[in-house]
Amino acid sequence: MTKKMAKKKRPSKKKRASPFRILLIPIVILAMYYAVNLGDHSYHLSSIGKDEIPSEYMPIYKAAEDKYGVPWYLLAAHHRVETKFSTMKTLVSPAGAEGPMQFMPCTFVGWSHPSCSGLGKGDIPSEQKTDPAIIDKYGGYGVDANGDGKADPYQIEDAVFSAANYLARNGAADGKIEQAVFAYNHSDQYVEDVLYYAHRFVEENDKQTGKPM
């Protein structure tokens, strides 16, 4: 994530954007717009999604969607792109992004924290990093989703809800999907990758209408 959300540089092979995947972007954005504005949260998981998304994460994505209005499959796509559903060897990037959804500490805690500058690694004391009161004070996006008194970027519930909070506040809850995804990581390739997986994770009828089959 850059200075709104400075991010690691994703270690992937350079590739040219597929024309097919580029054409999918407006289709996915339109489907998500209808999903958000129609307020129906029962879109069907595709057979590909069933194979690729670990089932234990689905209730978390859907609970975050209910709270923030961000489509569950968009959250699943971010989780897939960021850490391959938390299966990376380390959940800390070279730039300092942390947890399943790869938050820079300053984005999670708040950029008004006195130690925050540059890419957003900051020098935030560990006891402050997960303190909801500190996060509220400095305007961060971290959320205590599981009610344990801590907003922890390494806990999957907190990480997914925090990502939903960030995406919602950057337009995803209002149907501005591409804008929100780009805010999460200022890369056109990143936007393409996230929307590609979002498209894979829902049934064909859902992609077109945002409604369940």
Side-chain angles (χ1 to χ4, degrees):
M1 304 170 190
T2 54
K3 179 166 173 134
K4 190 83 173 161
M5 186 168 276
K7 292 268 316 145
K8 61 180 182 181
K9 289 185 178 177
R10 297 172 57 244
S12 59
K13 294 180 181 178
K14 279 197 169 183
K15 56 181 180 179
R16 291 189 176 182
S18 161
F20 174 71
R21 289 175 65 176
I22 292 173
L23 287 172
L24 285 179
I25 291 176
I27 297 172
V28 177
I29 292 172
L30 182 62
M32 290 184 186
Y33 173 81
Y34 280 114
V36 169
N37 287 281
L38 290 174
D40 190 326
H41 303 299
S42 56
Y43 348 111
H44 288 189
L45 181 65
S46 68
S47 57
I48 294 174
K50 288 176 184 177
D51 289 339
E52 295 186 359
I53 302 174
S55 60
E56 65 267 25
Y57 296 136
M58 288 297 298
I60 302 171
Y61 301 145
K62 291 191 174 184
E65 175 190 52
D66 286 339
K67 182 172 178 63
Y68 293 101
V70 175
W72 66 261
Y73 44 90
L74 181 62
L75 296 169
H78 275 281
H79 194 188
R80 168 60 179 81
V81 171
E82 290 294 350
T83 60
K84 296 182 179 178
F85 298 116
S86 303
T87 62
M88 303 289 282
K89 287 184 178 180
T90 176
L91 294 182
V92 181
S93 78
E98 300 177 336
M101 303 300 271
Q102 292 288 277
F103 273 93
M104 292 302 290
C106 291
T107 302
F108 197 82
V109 175
W111 277 92
S112 62
H113 189 279
S115 75
C116 287
S117 62
L119 293 179
K121 188 174 182 179
D123 186 20
I124 304 170
S126 57
E127 67 273 11
Q128 292 186 7
K129 276 189 174 183
T130 59
D131 186 338
I134 294 293
I135 293 170
D136 182 63
K137 176 181 178 180
Y138 292 117
Y141 293 92
V143 173
D144 174 17
N146 58 15
D148 66 354
K150 294 182 178 180
D152 188 342
Y154 290 98
Q155 291 182 357
I156 185 62
E157 296 92 345
D158 293 358
V160 170
F161 272 60
S162 299
N165 182 29
Y166 184 90
L167 290 165
R169 287 164 66 179
N170 280 277
D174 300 316
K176 299 173 183 176
I177 302 298
E178 187 171 3
Q179 170 185 299
V181 176
F182 187 81
Y184 204 98
N185 185 330
H186 295 172
S187 161
D188 291 333
Q189 183 63 57
Y190 182 83
V191 173
E192 182 184 330
D193 289 348
V194 169
L195 295 184
Y196 168 74
Y197 284 106
H199 182 269
R200 285 169 65 86
F201 293 158
V202 287
E203 294 285 6
E204 187 64 33
N205 279 12
D206 299 330
K207 296 170 196 171
Q208 295 172 357
T209 68
K211 291 184 178 181
M213 294 175 66

